């Protein structure tokens, strides 16, 4: 059985051109590059927020379009840069996904809160009373409540201060080890990419210019494009 979670062959979508890529089970993939290079579009292809104009995407060896979309998004969870929470309580947000599949497990709540560093007292707290960092933790916990196999992260710490960034990174590292999650993360922070990732993908103008192991890819770029990008970070 293949250990590839995703396989992309000759994928095109708007700015993205001829994307060929494999993501392995348990991979920690960091995607970076200039603004407008197609990073978020690439991320959206993995759980069918967008579909390619041409080319093929396989998830666990099967064409991605063969999967039921709600089930796919349960397996392949997405955490956005700005946390979009429902205007209710923390517990209402956590229950939302699992209740769709009749899988809400009350016993899982403590473990879930522990993973994202939130006290149990927050469960009945209205989301509008939370800080930015707390909202991002709830957003992460809401995605984790579905027990995903793959976690897509679109610059989840870019709007946070240094203390919250460090805390969220610790949460993510803990999760990766405990759940053996496959992570695909868009980041503009190369130091963060090296702290969290094992594989890097450098996108520019919709093309994969370089890919390789981290931190080697960033510390020893092979193309002028990536050399210039790292020099300006």
């Amino acid at each position: 059985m293949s250990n590839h979670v995703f396989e992309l062959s000759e994928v095109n979508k708007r700015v993205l051109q001829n994307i060929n890529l494999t993501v392995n089970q348990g991979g920690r993939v960091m995607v970076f590059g200039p603004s407008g290079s197609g990073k978020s579009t690439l991320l959206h292809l993995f759980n069918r927020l967008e579909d390619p104009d041409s080319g093929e995407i396989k998830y666990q060896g099967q064409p991605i379009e063969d999967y039921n979309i709600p089930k796919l998004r349960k397996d392949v969870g997405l955490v956005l840069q700005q946390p979009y929470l429902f205007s209710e309580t923390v517990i209402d947000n956590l229950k939302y996904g699992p209740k769709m599949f009749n899988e809400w497990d009350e016993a899982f709540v403590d473990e879930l809160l522990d993973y994202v560093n939130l006290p149990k007292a927050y469960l009945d707290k209205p989301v509008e009373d939370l800080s930015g960092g707390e909202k991002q933790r709830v957003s992460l916990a809401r995605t984790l409540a579905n027990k995903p196999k793959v976690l897509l992260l679109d610059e989840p710490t870019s709007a946070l201060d240094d203390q919250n960034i460090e805390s969220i990174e610790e949460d993510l590292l803990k999760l990766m080890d405990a759940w053996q999650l496959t992570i695909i993360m868009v980041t503009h922070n190369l130091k963060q990419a090296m702290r969290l990732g094992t594989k890097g993908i450098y996108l520019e103008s919709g093309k994969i210019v370089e890919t390789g192991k981290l931190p080697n890819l960033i510390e020893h770029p092979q193309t002028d494009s990536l050399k210039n990008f790292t020099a300006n970070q």
Side-chain angles (χ1 to χ4, degrees):
M1 183 177 172
S2 171
N3 69 340
H4 295 154
V5 178
F6 286 106
E7 300 166 80
L8 281 66
S9 303
E10 298 295 319
V11 166
N12 294 276
K13 177 67 180 182
R14 290 205 309 273
V15 68
L16 293 175
Q17 303 172 54
N18 299 321
I19 301 296
N20 294 285
L21 175 66
T22 59
V23 177
N24 291 332
Q25 179 72 41
R28 302 178 181 186
V29 180
M30 302 288 124
V31 182
F32 49 91
S35 296
S37 57
K39 301 184 297 295
S40 292
T41 301
L42 178 63
L43 210 62
H44 295 168
L45 292 172
F46 291 118
N47 78 344
R48 296 197 65 194
L49 273 181
E50 300 188 53
D51 286 326
D53 296 326
S54 62
E56 182 181 50
I57 301 175
K58 288 183 177 180
Y59 172 60
Q60 294 186 329
Q62 299 294 322
I64 199 168
E65 61 270 18
D66 288 356
Y67 289 86
N68 171 274
I69 289 179
K71 177 65 168 67
L72 177 71
R73 291 178 183 162
K74 177 181 180 294
D75 273 7
V76 185
L78 173 64
V79 179
L80 297 167
Q81 180 177 351
Q82 295 293 337
Y84 292 101
L85 300 176
F86 308 121
S87 57
E88 292 148 2
T89 63
V90 170
I91 188 68
D92 290 328
N93 276 270
L94 300 187
K95 283 181 175 180
Y96 179 78
K99 283 182 80 174
M100 284 177 61
F101 295 92
N102 295 314
E103 292 180 2
W104 174 244
D105 179 6
E106 206 76 47
F108 185 46
V109 174
D110 287 352
E111 184 181 349
L112 202 53
L113 293 175
D114 183 53
Y115 276 125
V116 297
N117 261 322
L118 284 175
K120 196 169 183 181
Y122 272 51
L123 283 174
D124 295 316
K125 200 167 186 175
V127 295
E128 60 262 28
D129 293 346
L130 303 177
S131 69
E134 289 167 346
K135 285 179 180 176
Q136 193 59 286
R137 287 192 182 89
V138 173
S139 179
L140 177 59
R142 185 176 67 184
T143 302
L144 294 172
N146 288 320
K147 300 183 179 177
K149 295 174 179 145
V150 181
L151 196 57
L152 307 174
L153 300 156
D154 196 353
E155 301 205 42
T157 62
S158 64
L160 304 179
D161 59 34
D162 288 346
Q163 184 176 352
N164 273 304
I165 289 171
E166 185 177 339
S167 179
I168 293 278
E169 285 186 5
E170 286 175 2
D171 296 342
L172 288 171
L173 286 167
K174 188 166 60 174
L175 278 162
M176 289 180 210
D177 290 338
W179 287 25
Q180 297 299 298
L181 278 171
T182 301
I183 303 278
I184 308 171
M185 178 173 176
V186 169
T187 181
H188 67 280
N189 185 329
L190 296 184
K191 289 182 179 176
Q192 181 177 69
M194 291 191 285
R195 286 192 295 265
L196 296 178
T198 56
K199 178 179 180 177
I201 296 170
Y202 176 61
L203 272 180
E204 188 177 287
S205 302
K207 295 180 179 179
I208 296 178
V209 177
E210 274 197 66
T211 182
K213 290 183 178 179
L214 292 171
N216 189 65
L217 178 70
I218 290 169
E219 293 176 342
H220 305 287
Q222 300 300 302
T223 61
D224 289 339
S225 297
L226 183 51
K227 285 176 187 173
N228 291 335
F229 182 78
T230 56
N232 291 320
Q233 295 301 300

